[in-house]
Amino acid sequence: MTAPRYPHPDLNSLPEDIRARILEVQEKAGFIPNVFLAFARRPAEWRAFFAYHDALMLKEEGSLTKGEREMIVTTTSAANQCLYCVVAHGAILRIYEKKPLVADQVAVNYRKADISPRQRAMLDFAMKVCQNSHAIEEADFTALHAHGFDDEDIWDIAAITAFFGLSNRMASFAGMMPNPEFYAMGRLPKTKA
């Protein structure tokens, strides 16, 4: 595995708010996802990045499930060829959806994945935002409305796609690699210790 282009800062050298959040994530996940350390080299950008991430991915309003949000990230990150985000968010997708194959399916070809017609319509739109946002038209909204998405849900789909477009490009150019722990998450049942 190659080293990141930009070395991660020492955890103990970080501002207290960032260090506390990273330690909280480590406690919950059992490891520190590389994205948290990669962005920490620039504290103001770290704070902005994770504030927007949390606003999009942790919000309670709207009809998108947490699994559907991760499905958008995994699918569009694959289109952007971002190894880090496909592996990391694919792991979270498998856990939320309780489907060990879904992340691989949507990353390779969401049109053939074991997902609902509603989710397929959502991903059709996300991919259009990802690859041809200039071509979005009223018919795209009409198609999503037919599946029960309202205009705020559609905003969420587009915003998640756009935000992770930024994340994909930052991860790729910086040489950010997925933590090994992500690869097995959600694939096998947890064993009792």
Side-chain angles (χ1 to χ4, degrees):
M1 203 172 278
T2 60
R5 205 164 275 121
Y6 294 89
H8 294 165
D10 177 73
L11 186 59
N12 295 318
S13 71
L14 297 175
E16 184 52 35
D17 62 316
I18 294 174
R19 195 170 79 73
R21 171 81 185 271
I22 290 173
L23 290 174
E24 180 182 313
V25 168
Q26 181 182 32
E27 175 72 24
K28 185 175 179 183
F31 65 100
I32 301 171
N34 287 334
V35 67
F36 282 89
L37 293 172
F39 276 98
R41 63 186 309 279
R42 292 190 170 189
E45 291 175 34
W46 187 98
R47 291 181 186 104
F49 180 88
F50 284 104
Y52 198 38
H53 171 278
D54 293 353
L56 292 171
M57 301 302 284
L58 303 180
K59 70 183 276 186
E60 299 293 326
E61 309 83 41
S63 75
L64 296 179
T65 67
K66 287 182 178 180
E68 288 170 340
R69 292 170 195 279
E70 296 296 341
M71 195 177 290
I72 293 165
V73 177
T74 304
T75 304
T76 60
S77 294
N80 290 328
Q81 299 182 43
C82 179
L83 178 64
Y84 184 90
C85 291
V86 169
V87 172
H89 291 276
I92 300 167
L93 169 59
R94 288 189 299 272
I95 291 167
Y96 283 151
E97 291 292 304
K98 296 177 179 42
K99 291 173 146 184
L101 305 180
V102 70
D104 296 332
Q105 292 173 348
V106 300
V108 173
N109 184 351
Y110 74 91
R111 289 178 186 90
K112 302 223 184 260
D114 181 20
I115 59 175
S116 70
R118 176 183 186 273
Q119 291 168 332
R120 192 164 287 108
M122 172 189 78
L123 295 179
D124 283 339
F125 182 74
M127 287 298 289
K128 190 167 184 180
V129 171
C130 178
Q131 298 176 321
N132 298 300
S133 60
H134 62 279
I136 298 291
E137 56 191 4
E138 196 57 37
D140 297 306
F141 286 80
T142 303
L144 288 169
H145 291 152
H147 286 279
F149 294 104
D150 66 22
D151 285 348
E152 295 306 313
D153 296 326
I154 296 168
W155 178 286
D156 288 341
I157 296 165
I160 291 165
T161 301
F163 175 77
F164 280 94
L166 170 131
S167 181
N168 297 159
R169 285 154 180 83
M170 293 299 291
S172 293
F173 107 88
M176 194 184 309
M177 297 302 292
N179 301 68
E181 294 88 345
F182 283 125
Y183 288 94
M185 289 171 58
R187 291 191 191 276
L188 302 171
K190 285 186 177 182
T191 56
K192 294 184 179 177

